[in-house]
Amino acid sequence: MKKLLLTLTMIFSVSALAYAQGGALTGRVIDELGLPMPGASVVLTNAQKGIPTDANGYYTIIDIPAGEYTLTVTFIGYKKIEQTVTINAGATTELNFKMEAGYAEGGEVIVMGDRLKGQTKALNQQKTNANITNVVAADQIGRFPDANIGDALKRIPGITIQNDQGEARNIIVRGLAPQLNSVTLNGERIPSAEGDNRNIQLDLIPSDLIQTIQVNKAVLPDMDADAIGGSVNLVTRSAPSGKRVSGTLASGFNFLSEKPIWTGSVIASNRFANDKLGAVFSASYNNHDFGSDNVEAVWYKDDFDRVVIEEFDIREYQVQRVRRSFNLALDYEINPNHKLYLSGVYNWRDDWENRFRMRVSQLDDAFDDGIAVETSPGVYNIPQGARVEFQTKGGLDSDRVKKRRLEDQRNRNISLKGEHLFNTLKLTWSATYAKASEDRPNERYLSYRESDQSVNVNLSDPEFPLAILSNSADNLGIGLNEISENHDYTEDEDFNARIDFQKPVSNSTLIKFGARLRNKNKLRDNVFYSYEPLDEDAFGATLGDIPTNDYSNPDYLAGSQYRVGRFGSPAFLGNLDLKNGALFDESDELGEYVPGNYTATENIYAAYAMADVQLNENLSGIIGLRYEGTSIDYSGFILDVDNDDISEASDSQNYGNFMPGVHLNYNFSDNSILRFAWTNTIARPNYFDLVPYAEFSPDDEELVRGNPDLEPTTSMNFDLMYENYFENIGIVSGGVFYKDIDKFIYERVIEGYVDPSFGNDLEFTTFENGGTAEIYGLEVSFQRQIWKGLGLYLNYTLTQSSTTGIQGRENEDLELPGTANNMFNASLSYETDKLVLRASLNYASDYIDELGGEAFEDRFYDKQTFLDVNGSYAFTPQWRFFFEVNNLTNQPLRYYQGESSRTMQMEYYNVRFNAGLKFDLFNNQ
């Protein structure tokens, strides 16, 4: 590694001394409102030199022989610009352009409204990118009813989203699980506040914060290689050419909680100091009271070979989510050759949650012992032997926690970047500090639980299983089980730095090389205490002895038969004086939290070199090599259950990966491109999966162990994509992809496991490397304005996969977890100069989510279909009314076990409605 860095340093030094008596051309391309035009093609036609503008509309062409040239600027959907420019030797010429919207159709110039401008910016970036990408621009995000970035991403070909509480949270790209994909902010990795994985919670990031989403499905050598599925880059807003203030004021209604939604955002920007300094500030706020109706079941085969349930939950969730985001971006032009950028992003999301869970367990004993009496097919009465629990989740009654479980998630990012031109050598650098955290203070649980209860079990329709007290009045006679309070904290802190050099070595070849450092420190620090009343009778020996609320709902979305019952009230739980030794006996429950605590330090050192070559008039290519060296140190804890003793366990890993890549683009015409890519990528194990911990839950008889022998997953990827762009705003594309994956990591679950330390008949979970996996598929996409304001957007992705080396199941034909075979998006819109109406459909087929010890135990994420509609009407160019309706299909989050009729979890959210005003005040004169 040191030799490689030394070699690059020598190359940098030699390149910096190189001098050519040519000139440079730099500038910015904006639209008629002063907003940047990313992906505009800037070409010196009689010099055969050109370059697309970057995400902020800037371009730089270097090593131009002195002389006079014709310069053209083109952008799909905008009028072409031609201008004569004179280049002087050893000097940099600055030339800015303002483009006018409009395209020719049937001999007539059609002028676009604001609704199409976002689509044109996305398509132009996608067209001019050197690699295979999909792009969504900010205006286009606004055309879909998307509250967060995850909801916008699910409409891109090959993207599947896993939902949580009705919002998109985790991204799956081309069948690859969230931890196999990367999410970056302005090209820098976003740290994760998740305690046990590398996933980025996309519901933390509002769409108002972002200018462009770039999904890189074939990464370039100058990009981080930990993106087997793909890399999602979120680009924040940049300053336009003049003063601009825009924003949103809206309110809505959640049909489950029957409570309002409040939304607001503002974006203010301007340029100062003779246009050398640009500034843009954006802020957004969203306050949403919602909830979910949830049913869960665990299935097994009893001693009589019947498929029945061993555990069953009815859960009622009540949640308030407040999301706030702030972004400040500054850019300063020292002179045409030197620019500096400073940006800061702060995302803050609070979730206040109460959960009321009725659980029936130990049903397996009743079925195996023959206690369960089948009164009709699939319907059973268990006169005794079931255990029933009523648990309230809440928090301390304080101004901050508000008698609920508070999950305080924050993500901060500050970045300083520079762009410098030294004759023919272009130098860019950046340094970024980022931190993610999740804090859950004073989280409380109150549980009443009783064994030997009489319950009725209805499995006649396994899609809607049910287990409930035979006599609902027994609810209040259930005895006290446990009171607890915990404080969970997770932190992920990153420092990233990179330097890149770019230099032409001939009229047809550009070389680029650079180095990168990523330093990450992650920790999880949890505590958990249980409390026992000194006088249980005075406290409340049974549920009927304390203040309770009835959370049963005849309109429960899963069905009126699911009556959750009465629970200890959040106010009662929140006001308990648990630290009062005269009332409660406190116990430090080491087994509940010690095995889950850990620290990890990861350092990644990377270097790359690549050549961008114009092979002939139509064919261009990029060939390069990237090296990433990884060093990880981690430590956790092992709890000796018998002796109640804690010991620290530490380990480390060091490895390096060389990853070559080739990208070829063949232009049949200006708007017709065939792309090919061969890339190599990596996915590192989750930090916590490496820690040699043992986490045991006696009540649930569940054991989870880490695996310090996990190795990183690697993949060789092949992509072929054809794209044809339409001048009247649109694209038709189609392509195939193939991934050859080695040592993929999977979560293995074994039922009836025997452990020498923790006992028999356990549900054991660990993490292992499989053998190999193959993923292959095709993507097709079509979007176009088809007739007089009528627009159509369609895409479809077919994905297939196979695996080898899964222990205990070597002879089975298993798909890779996370691979949805079919994904489809459709959107139909009607647009005039003032009115926009749009209906959007999103479908993803079911897929295996978690492998069990056998096919019966496999967990599947069920198919889902979302239908959303939105529209707007512009009273003036500055003021627009809009509305959005989400989840008209009332699509639940659903998992099933083994076969589709066997529900493991179903969670319903109902419909959401939002409406308000958008304003856009600008002055770019």
Side-chain angles (χ1 to χ4, degrees):
M1 181 65 192
K2 291 182 178 178
K3 290 182 178 179
L4 183 62
L5 292 175
L6 180 60
T7 301
L8 284 170
T9 303
M10 294 174 64
I11 294 173
F12 300 161
S13 302
V14 172
S15 300
L17 294 173
Y19 184 89
Q21 290 299 321
L25 178 65
T26 187
R28 194 184 197 193
V29 182
I30 58 175
D31 65 12
E32 64 270 31
L33 300 180
L35 299 175
M37 302 282 282
S41 179
V42 182
V43 178
L44 295 169
T45 55
N46 49 339
Q48 294 186 335
K49 284 182 175 288
I51 196 169
T53 55
D54 65 15
N56 297 316
Y58 290 103
Y59 71 93
T60 300
I61 304 175
I62 58 179
D63 195 27
I64 310 169
E68 187 173 281
Y69 299 90
T70 299
L71 183 142
T72 63
V73 183
T74 56
F75 198 90
I76 294 174
Y78 281 71
K79 297 176 183 178
K80 181 179 179 180
I81 294 176
E82 286 190 349
Q83 185 170 325
T84 300
V85 59
T86 300
I87 301 298
N88 298 312
T92 298
T93 302
E94 186 172 10
L95 202 56
N96 300 316
F97 300 95
K98 180 180 290 188
M99 302 195 76
E100 182 181 352
Y103 59 90
E105 189 173 86
E108 179 183 2
V109 175
I110 307 298
V111 178
M112 292 185 299
D114 291 340
R115 55 199 169 271
L116 283 178
K117 291 178 182 176
Q119 188 175 342
T120 65
K121 292 180 179 181
L123 290 176
N124 276 278
Q125 289 179 77
Q126 186 171 318
K127 174 189 169 186
T128 56
N129 282 340
N131 59 327
I132 297 172
T133 61
N134 292 107
V135 180
V136 181
D139 294 341
Q140 191 177 1
I141 294 172
R143 296 174 64 197
F144 293 115
D146 301 318
N148 67 51
I149 290 301
D151 284 314
L153 277 165
K154 72 184 181 186
R155 308 185 191 281
I156 292 175
I159 303 294
T160 309
I161 293 294
Q162 293 179 334
N163 289 332
D164 181 78
Q165 290 294 353
E167 287 193 349
R169 171 162 289 189
N170 296 318
I171 181 173
I172 295 175
V173 182
R174 287 178 165 175
L176 275 303
Q179 61 268 27
L180 303 181
N181 308 302
S182 67
V183 181
T184 62
L185 185 68
N186 299 321
E188 299 292 344
R189 285 297 298 260
I190 299 176
S192 169
E194 293 280 281
D196 54 3
N197 57 58
R198 297 174 182 262
N199 300 352
I200 306 301
Q201 292 192 346
L202 294 173
D203 54 3
L204 179 64
I205 306 171
S207 58
D208 290 336
L209 181 70
I210 302 302
Q211 174 177 289
T212 304
I213 307 173
Q214 304 166 341
V215 180
N216 296 284
K217 294 180 176 175
V219 296
L220 292 165
D222 62 346
M223 298 178 178
D224 292 334
D226 50 352
I228 291 180
S231 172
V232 178
N233 184 34
L234 309 177
V235 182
T236 55
R237 298 179 183 272
S238 61
S241 64
K243 183 186 297 182
R244 191 171 195 226
V245 178
S246 60
T248 302
L249 295 171
S251 184
F253 186 76
N254 185 294
F255 284 82
L256 188 146
S257 65
E258 299 183 344
K259 292 184 179 180
I261 305 168
W262 303 101
T263 302
S265 67
V266 64
I267 305 165
S269 56
N270 204 352
R271 301 203 71 83
F272 309 92
N274 296 322
D275 286 341
K276 286 184 173 293
L277 175 64
V280 57
F281 172 78
S282 61
S284 70
Y285 176 84
N286 178 259
N287 190 335
H288 185 191
D289 273 291
F290 60 100
S292 60
D293 294 347
N294 178 289
V295 173
E296 300 187 18
V298 179
W299 296 82
Y300 88 112
K301 291 182 180 179
D302 70 5
D303 291 346
F304 305 97
D305 206 32
R306 297 176 297 188
V307 176
V308 290
I309 59 175
E310 58 180 292
E311 187 173 278
F312 177 81
D313 288 0
I314 303 175
R315 304 182 182 194
E316 172 70 14
Y317 288 89
Q318 297 178 357
V319 185
Q320 180 186 12
R321 174 168 294 170
V322 177
R323 188 163 38 214
R324 320 157 188 86
S325 286
F326 307 92
N327 174 41
L328 176 64
L330 305 173
D331 63 86
Y332 184 75
E333 182 180 290
I334 301 170
N335 58 47
N337 292 337
H338 301 279
K339 298 182 179 71
L340 296 175
Y341 301 86
L342 178 65
S343 64
V345 177
Y346 188 84
N347 294 314
W348 177 14
R349 190 196 72 199
D350 283 334
D351 272 11
W352 287 277
E353 177 187 298
N354 285 125
R355 186 195 70 192
F356 307 97
R357 186 189 73 189
M358 189 283 294
R359 168 169 290 177
V360 181
S361 60
Q362 296 183 346
L363 293 172
D364 50 340
D365 293 336
F367 281 110
D368 290 341
D369 294 343
I371 298 174
V373 179
E374 189 168 13
T375 58
S376 62
V379 179
Y380 303 87
N381 174 255
I382 300 176
Q384 62 180 6
R387 187 171 70 181
V388 180
E389 178 186 33
F390 292 84
Q391 183 193 72
T392 299
K393 177 200 285 188
L396 178 69
D397 187 1
S398 67
D399 292 340
R400 178 73 180 126
V401 179
K402 302 179 180 179
K403 298 176 290 189
R404 299 180 175 186
R405 186 275 288 146
L406 169 62
E407 182 180 272
D408 178 340
Q409 271 211 4
R410 308 190 190 201
N411 197 301
R412 311 91 164 156
N413 177 293
I414 184 166
S415 182
L416 179 64
K417 300 182 180 182
E419 293 181 0
H420 309 279
L421 183 60
F422 303 101
N423 300 309
T424 61
L425 180 69
K426 184 176 180 181
L427 162 67
T428 60
W429 58 269
S430 68
T432 302
Y433 171 78
K435 180 181 177 181
S437 63
E438 180 181 283
D439 192 19
R440 295 167 62 159
N442 304 114
E443 180 175 341
R444 292 183 171 185
Y445 293 84
L446 173 63
S447 165
Y448 279 76
R449 189 176 72 188
E450 197 83 46
S451 297
D452 297 324
Q453 297 297 299
S454 174
V455 299
N456 293 326
V457 179
N458 189 338
L459 306 179
S460 58
D461 183 354
E463 190 171 344
F464 294 93
L466 176 66
I468 201 164
L469 283 168
S470 301
N471 182 2
S472 60
D474 292 344
N475 178 180
L476 295 180
I478 302 295
L480 177 66
N481 175 54
E482 185 180 52
I483 309 164
S484 67
E485 179 174 300
N486 56 283
H487 187 167
D488 297 353
Y489 182 76
T490 302
E491 178 181 286
D492 190 354
E493 194 170 35
D494 291 8
F495 175 75
N496 302 323
R498 65 180 298 163
I499 186 166
D500 302 275
F501 296 86
Q502 181 177 305
K503 178 177 172 58
V505 294
S506 72
N507 285 335
S508 60
T509 303
L510 182 74
I511 63 169
K512 187 175 181 182
F513 46 89
R516 141 86 85 183
L517 165 67
R518 285 168 50 189
N519 170 262
K520 179 184 287 288
N521 293 282
K522 187 154 188 170
L523 70 86
R524 180 161 62 184
D525 185 14
N526 299 344
V527 295
F528 185 101
Y529 298 96
S530 65
Y531 297 89
E532 184 177 347
L534 297 181
D535 187 343
E536 186 173 304
D537 291 333
F539 172 82
T542 66
L543 196 52
D545 296 330
I546 65 170
T548 60
N549 294 330
D550 188 356
Y551 292 95
S552 297
N553 181 1
D555 298 321
Y556 202 75
L557 293 176
S560 59
Q561 69 271 31
Y562 296 106
R563 301 183 305 276
V564 68
R566 301 191 70 89
F567 293 78
S569 72
F572 173 76
L573 175 59
N575 283 291
L576 294 177
D577 188 6
L578 296 179
K579 298 299 181 181
N580 188 338
L583 298 176
F584 297 96
D585 182 24
E586 180 183 84
S587 298
D588 187 358
E589 301 290 349
L590 301 177
E592 293 285 347
Y593 68 90
V594 166
N597 290 342
Y598 72 97
T599 60
T601 298
E602 180 179 79
N603 290 299
I604 298 173
Y605 309 92
Y608 75 93
M610 56 189 274
D612 188 343
V613 184
Q614 188 70 42
L615 298 168
N616 59 43
E617 184 179 352
N618 301 102
L619 181 63
S620 63
I622 292 176
I623 182 170
L625 176 66
R626 184 178 185 87
Y627 173 83
E628 290 192 356
T630 305
S631 172
I632 308 176
D633 297 300
Y634 47 87
S635 62
F637 300 93
I638 297 176
L639 178 65
D640 184 336
V641 177
D642 294 331
N643 300 312
D644 206 24
D645 183 52
I646 302 170
S647 59
E648 186 172 355
S650 300
D651 213 328
S652 63
Q653 284 190 350
N654 294 277
Y655 50 88
N657 299 86
F658 285 94
M659 290 163 283
V662 175
H663 299 255
L664 297 174
N665 294 330
Y666 187 86
N667 290 64
F668 296 99
S669 68
D670 288 344
N671 292 329
S672 181
I673 309 168
L674 179 65
R675 303 181 190 269
F676 167 80
W678 169 59
T679 57
N680 289 271
T681 47
I682 186 174
R684 298 172 178 87
N686 293 322
Y687 311 106
F688 189 51
D689 295 350
L690 290 166
V691 177
Y693 69 94
E695 192 169 25
F696 178 59
S697 172
D699 285 345
D700 298 324
E701 297 181 311
E702 295 174 350
L703 173 65
V704 183
R705 285 188 182 273
N707 181 0
D709 296 324
L710 284 177
E711 298 181 56
T713 302
T714 57
S715 178
M716 181 184 294
N717 317 293
F718 295 90
D719 293 85
L720 184 68
M721 182 68 67
Y722 172 76
E723 301 167 353
N724 186 78
Y725 296 86
F726 303 113
E727 287 293 342
N728 62 343
I729 322 302
I731 182 177
V732 58
S733 66
V736 294
F737 58 88
Y738 172 79
K739 297 180 182 293
D740 184 6
I741 300 173
D742 189 33
K743 298 178 181 177
F744 68 91
I745 297 171
Y746 67 100
E747 182 177 308
R748 187 182 180 197
V749 180
I750 304 173
E751 299 289 345
Y753 182 79
V754 177
D755 186 90
S757 300
F758 297 100
N760 303 330
D761 199 26
L762 304 177
E763 180 183 276
F764 175 62
T765 302
T766 190
F767 309 92
E768 296 181 354
N769 285 108
T772 62
E774 292 181 310
I775 295 181
Y776 51 94
L778 64 87
E779 293 177 356
V780 291
S781 179
F782 174 86
Q783 66 183 96
R784 193 172 186 179
Q785 298 300 114
I786 54 178
W787 181 72
K788 292 186 177 181
L790 193 65
L792 184 63
Y793 174 77
L794 301 168
N795 68 62
Y796 170 74
T797 302
L798 171 68
T799 307
Q800 299 288 321
S801 69
S802 61
T803 61
T804 66
I806 296 178
Q807 292 190 22
R809 306 184 65 177
E810 291 85 354
N811 297 324
E812 297 182 56
D813 184 16
L814 296 174
E815 290 193 332
L816 188 69
T819 308
N821 295 141
N822 299 283
M823 290 167 277
F824 176 70
N825 283 292
S827 180
L828 185 66
S829 63
Y830 177 75
E831 308 175 354
T832 69
D833 58 344
K834 291 186 176 181
L835 178 67
V836 178
L837 296 172
R838 178 175 295 271
S840 303
L841 179 77
N842 173 264
Y843 169 82
S845 61
D846 55 350
Y847 58 86
I848 190 167
D849 179 67
E850 180 184 287
L851 291 168
E854 58 179 334
F856 178 85
E857 299 166 0
D858 291 342
R859 184 177 73 180
F860 289 79
Y861 195 103
D862 201 8
K863 62 182 180 296
Q864 51 188 10
T865 303
F866 294 97
L867 178 62
D868 307 319
V869 299
N870 70 324
S872 66
Y873 183 82
F875 300 105
T876 72
Q878 289 78 35
W879 293 90
R880 181 184 299 269
F881 169 79
F882 75 96
F883 73 90
E884 304 164 346
V885 186
N886 297 81
N887 194 24
L888 283 168
T889 55
N890 188 25
Q891 174 64 51
L893 165 70
R894 183 175 184 267
Y895 291 90
Y896 64 85
Q897 183 178 322
E899 60 183 47
S900 60
S901 64
R902 201 176 291 142
T903 295
M904 283 190 78
Q905 179 182 355
M906 52 183 175
E907 185 168 88
Y908 291 84
Y909 311 106
N910 216 329
V911 180
R912 300 191 308 272
F913 172 79
N914 204 37
L917 292 174
K918 292 186 176 182
F919 61 90
D920 192 359
L921 312 176
F922 49 86
N923 176 20
N924 63 327
Q925 303 299 321

